[in-house]
Amino acid sequence: MESWRRNPLVFWVINLPPSLWLLFFFLIPLGLIWIFSFGEKRGVVDIEITWTLANYLRAMDPLYLQIFAKSLWFTAITTLLCLAVGFPIAFGISFAPAKWKPWLLLAIILPFWTNLLIRTYALIAVLRTRGYVNFTLEWFWDQGNWLLALLGLGQYQLLGAQFEALPLLYNNFAVVFGLVYVHLPFTVLPLYAALERMDSSYIEASLDLGAGQFRTFFTVVVPLAKAGIISAVIITFIPALGSFLTPDLLGGTDSQMIANVIERQFKSANDWPFGAALSFILMYATFFALALRALLARGSSSMEAA
Amino acid sequence: MTESAGIGGAGGKPIISIREVSKIFGGAVTAVDDVSLDIHEGEFFALLGPSGCGKTTLLRMLAGFEIPSLGQVLLDGQSLDGVPPNKRPINMVFQSYAVFPHMSVFDNVAYGLKITGVDKAETMARVDEALELVKLGGFGGRRPDQLSGGQRQRVALARALVKRPRVLLLDEPLSALDAKLREAMQLELVRLRETVGITFVIVTHDQAEALSMANRIAVMESGKVRQVAGPAELYEYPNCRFVADFIGKMNLFEGRVTGLAGNQITVQVEGLGEVTLPAVEQAEGEVGIAVRPEKLRLDREDPGAGRIAFRGRVSEVAYYGDTSNIFITDAAGRAVSANIQNEARRTDSHVAVGDDLWCSWDPQDTLVLTG
């Protein structure tokens, strides 16, 4: 850094192009959307900037607040499930033999290499009424019936008169399931990084002092991985809150999230000012969460420093 | 092998018996190779060897973090097979100390007591006592990141000792400390062991550390124990070339036994001619003739009969203040090191590079190494 200050030409040659890119393609468009959010729709493409707060007031309508609340709820459950599933996975990988680690990590990252849309359609094929989960369940149902018939209990129809497919798709369950599936790698990777860095002698010391595996996990491993857990929560929560493809394709009529509403404003409803206002409310909520995190981190910085 | 009558009750009943233990990693790397050892109640026992000799693996098998591939470890005559680390009355001070950074000093020390369900009042009393013992009284409320490395190590010690283990294991406990602190800590560990009366087993690669602290030392090389003895015996009577060379400094000559008469043997040594030495069992054929640098004497004149002597030229003088190390090159070009005390106060050396001198030693101080 110091040498760059002494040689400003090099600094600007390297940093000017990305700075300009960020300015023109990120900050300026973002500023435009912010300005739109104070505008009024005049025609099909005309927006007049009147600095009205009407769009923000409209977003406070219970209808939209409810969708905001539902989005937060879905995202919170998703983040918790990702943690519950991702922590054991990350823990397992960090203690796997060294030659396996790259392959296990690859298995976690691999879904990223496939388009989200394709992955979501694949999930539809798995979850739908005539999907693989229900096929498997039906197979078990058939086997069960066959076994019962063999035992001479066939006539009682203990497993029901016919196979009832589970409603796994186009509901809230499908949305949360899909969100967990999509965001799991975001949770696993920061957790893995934190656990991998952890000195294994902390775990050994805990065992040595008489603690069992479970106590060691909850009193030593989890607290020491706290920084990684916070990162994992943020990095999972933020993109999950803005999801629109997953609820759009997997959800039912009542499982839309706020991003679906925003998308509709910009496309079918053609109400850019309102869509912009909703976008910024979502962003402010995210900033609030980050500020909260920073505040929490400051409270425990003495722990993480060690 | 004669067992030295150490200070700490060597010859008492073994608290730990290591029986024909081997550890093979991944079916290929033999870290510990058929080791049998007894560690006695109240001893300060050191496992000494260069890095990669298997000493840490052996220690980790005592703690239960590694399982012997062959053989077994007994504690008070009971096999430790299948006993996990948290069920062994053995505690360990880790090389990195492993003081939990998210707990206060008090909570660190109390950790092991809470698990065993010691009540609150007793926990308080025992933690305070343990912290006093390691001179950290009043530090209970501190967080580990407010402590120095030496203080963190004391926390690790207190945390292990508060459990009143049968055996305390220390894995390279002084390696992260600076030289001054390390010296002070060596003395303190010895004092601590005498106070608590617990058997200490320490792993170290530093021979000076082992010699000054332990009352019995096992020297290891490539997974095998080469010699087990007290510090003085190990230094004065090493049983093989490896131990002779690893413990302290040693001048080594190669020779061949030419005769055995009564309690004396004659050895033909290159550069020294035929020398007569006190007899050693099983000395025949090729042997190593070794002598410590401080046993050598330098003279201007021929030291006369009764001493093994050769004439050489001073090639290098290394001045250490209290002593000087003089390198003498003989006619064959071999350098021998002599350590001499700088007894009188003077700033010029009485031995200078280029001086021709007689270098001699008493045959009684000579070691005949067959291994």
Side-chain angles (χ1 to χ4, degrees):
Chain A
M1 251 352 242
E2 199 55 43
S3 59
W4 285 11
R5 233 168 265 161
R6 269 187 270 119
N7 199 344
L9 184 68
V10 174
F11 180 83
W12 284 113
V13 163
I14 292 174
N15 286 287
L16 200 59
S19 301
L20 287 178
W21 177 277
L22 279 177
L23 181 69
F24 284 117
F25 299 110
F26 178 66
L27 286 178
I28 291 178
L30 197 68
L32 284 176
I33 297 290
W34 185 71
I35 292 169
F36 282 160
S37 74
F38 299 100
E40 282 175 63
K41 201 173 78 152
R42 287 283 178 260
V44 179
V45 288
D46 289 336
I47 295 166
E48 192 186 330
I49 308 301
T50 57
W51 301 105
T52 171
L53 289 174
N55 295 313
Y56 288 96
L57 289 173
R58 190 179 154 203
M60 294 301 123
D61 184 292
L63 174 71
Y64 297 110
L65 284 182
Q66 205 192 339
I67 294 172
F68 264 115
K70 185 153 205 168
S71 301
L72 283 171
W73 176 235
F74 277 172
T75 311
I77 294 179
T78 299
T79 309
L80 275 179
L81 285 175
C82 278
L83 267 187
V85 177
F87 205 103
I89 293 176
F91 195 62
I93 297 176
S94 70
F95 281 93
K99 58 179 176 183
W100 286 22
K101 277 184 193 177
W103 298 104
L104 292 170
L105 284 174
L106 185 71
I108 297 295
I109 301 166
L110 207 57
F112 276 143
W113 295 358
T114 316
N115 183 290
L116 175 62
L117 197 62
I118 293 172
R119 274 187 286 155
T120 308
Y121 274 114
L123 215 51
I124 291 175
V126 171
L127 295 178
R128 65 185 165 199
T129 314
R130 306 282 309 149
Y132 296 110
V133 172
N134 279 318
F135 286 155
T136 310
L137 291 173
E138 190 171 12
W139 183 83
F140 277 112
W141 186 84
D142 283 339
Q143 299 304 309
N145 267 349
W146 176 81
L147 196 69
L148 288 174
L150 203 69
L151 296 171
L153 299 166
Q155 70 275 31
Y156 301 113
Q157 296 186 329
L158 290 171
L159 297 173
Q162 65 181 54
F163 175 71
E164 299 270 355
L166 287 178
L168 299 173
L169 198 57
Y170 308 124
N171 52 26
N172 294 344
F173 164 81
V175 174
V176 172
F177 187 89
L179 288 176
V180 170
Y181 167 70
V182 170
H183 294 95
L184 195 57
F186 293 108
T187 319
V188 170
L189 294 179
L191 287 177
Y192 169 77
L195 292 170
E196 178 69 16
R197 261 201 320 270
M198 193 185 297
D199 182 353
S200 66
S201 55
Y202 289 126
I203 296 169
E204 288 182 345
S206 171
L207 294 173
D208 188 69
L209 292 167
Q213 307 278 354
F214 276 101
R215 187 192 279 259
T216 298
F217 185 80
F218 287 109
T219 58
V220 174
V221 177
V222 171
L224 287 179
K226 195 181 151 201
I229 293 172
I230 292 173
S231 304
V233 164
I234 288 173
I235 216 167
T236 310
F237 190 89
I238 291 174
L241 189 60
S243 302
F244 76 93
L245 191 69
T246 310
D248 194 36
L249 291 180
L250 302 180
T253 45
D254 70 330
S255 39
Q256 60 181 335
M257 289 171 69
I258 196 64
N260 300 110
V261 181
I262 295 172
E263 189 218 9
R264 226 172 20 246
Q265 302 313 315
F266 280 98
K267 289 164 90 180
S268 51
N270 194 25
D271 190 348
W272 283 36
F274 184 50
L278 287 175
S279 299
F280 269 89
I281 290 173
L282 186 62
M283 210 157 91
Y284 295 146
T286 312
F287 283 159
F288 179 73
L290 285 175
L292 206 66
R293 187 259 141 147
L295 216 65
L296 283 174
R298 195 178 309 159
S300 60
S301 61
S302 59
M303 272 163 48
E304 281 162 43
Chain B
M1 174 142 325
T2 52
E3 205 130 277
S4 81
I7 342 141
K13 69 182 169 77
I15 186 165
I16 281 182
S17 278
I18 298 165
R19 299 229 177 120
E20 290 153 13
V21 163
S22 293
K23 178 68 188 180
I24 299 149
F25 285 112
V29 184
T30 306
V32 173
D33 190 359
D34 193 21
V35 166
S36 292
L37 269 182
D38 277 346
I39 297 168
H40 302 287
E41 181 101 55
E43 269 192 312
F44 199 134
F45 193 91
L47 295 168
L48 174 66
S51 60
C53 72
K55 56 192 190 301
T56 296
T57 308
L58 192 59
L59 192 80
R60 289 172 59 81
M61 285 195 277
L62 301 185
F65 297 126
E66 306 287 354
I67 296 157
S69 309
L70 292 167
Q72 61 176 350
V73 178
L74 308 181
L75 177 75
D76 292 322
Q78 302 285 312
S79 172
L80 286 175
D81 282 355
V83 182
N86 52 342
K87 298 276 188 280
R88 295 184 183 200
I90 295 175
N91 286 105
M92 182 150 161
V93 175
F94 290 80
Q95 187 171 8
S96 62
Y97 314 146
V99 173
F100 303 130
H102 59 294
M103 294 181 195
S104 68
V105 168
F106 181 92
D107 288 338
N108 262 284
V109 180
Y111 188 81
L113 296 179
K114 279 181 189 153
I115 289 157
T116 34
V118 175
D119 70 60
K120 218 165 192 164
E122 198 193 332
T123 301
M124 293 276 273
R126 277 172 71 174
V127 170
D128 283 345
E129 185 194 6
L131 287 175
E132 281 306 329
L133 195 65
V134 297
K135 298 180 183 163
L136 281 183
F139 278 69
R142 301 270 189 104
R143 300 198 74 87
D145 59 358
Q146 298 170 315
L147 302 179
S148 69
Q151 289 170 328
R152 265 202 283 260
Q153 178 177 51
R154 287 160 190 271
V155 176
L157 264 170
R159 188 175 68 175
L161 286 172
V162 81
K163 297 269 292 178
R164 295 174 186 162
R166 294 283 292 138
V167 180
L168 182 77
L169 309 176
L170 302 111
D171 186 7
E172 300 268 8
L174 308 178
S175 61
L177 304 179
D178 63 64
K180 268 259 154 53
L181 193 55
R182 186 161 31 198
E183 218 161 282
M185 206 60 200
Q186 285 177 11
L187 291 172
E188 203 173 323
L189 281 175
V190 172
R191 179 194 62 84
L192 194 64
R193 204 222 59 75
E194 279 160 10
T195 313
V196 296
I198 291 169
T199 308
F200 278 25
V201 180
I202 185 174
V203 153
T204 177
H205 65 273
D206 182 338
Q207 40 109 359
E209 206 170 286
L211 291 178
S212 68
M213 285 195 291
N215 54 310
R216 232 153 46 95
I217 300 162
V219 182
M220 293 184 70
E221 184 209 4
S222 37
K224 285 193 159 67
V225 171
R226 295 294 174 199
Q227 187 171 7
V228 185
E233 190 188 337
L234 209 55
Y235 187 79
E236 300 294 353
Y237 298 96
N239 67 356
C240 62
R241 288 179 177 86
F242 174 78
V243 175
D245 194 47
F246 189 74
I247 308 285
K249 293 199 184 82
M250 190 64 98
N251 294 306
L252 195 65
F253 305 86
E254 294 301 326
R256 166 173 277 279
V257 177
T258 51
L260 182 69
N263 55 357
Q264 293 200 312
I265 58 165
T266 48
V267 184
Q268 180 67 37
V269 185
E270 196 195 338
L272 298 177
E274 192 147 89
V275 296
T276 307
L277 300 167
V280 195
E281 294 166 55
Q282 300 160 331
E284 53 184 22
E286 304 289 335
V287 291
I289 301 297
V291 62
R292 296 276 181 204
E294 74 276 12
K295 309 281 198 267
L296 298 187
R297 208 178 76 201
L298 302 175
D299 296 293
R300 303 274 175 199
E301 259 82 82
D302 187 338
R307 290 179 74 82
I308 300 167
F310 71 90
R311 199 167 161 74
R313 178 166 289 177
V314 175
S315 57
E316 208 178 318
V317 177
Y319 178 75
Y320 294 118
D322 53 346
T323 62
S324 287
N325 222 6
I326 318 285
F327 290 89
I328 299 117
T329 311
D330 68 4
R334 177 179 36 210
V336 170
S337 125
N339 195 264
I340 55 165
Q341 288 284 330
N342 295 323
E343 283 158 335
R345 185 177 176 186
R346 54 193 290 177
T347 51
D348 60 322
S349 178
H350 55 287
V351 179
V353 173
D355 287 1
D356 283 317
L357 293 172
W358 282 94
C359 182
S360 70
W361 66 91
D362 189 330
Q364 297 293 332
D365 292 334
T366 314
L367 281 161
V368 179
L369 300 170
T370 52

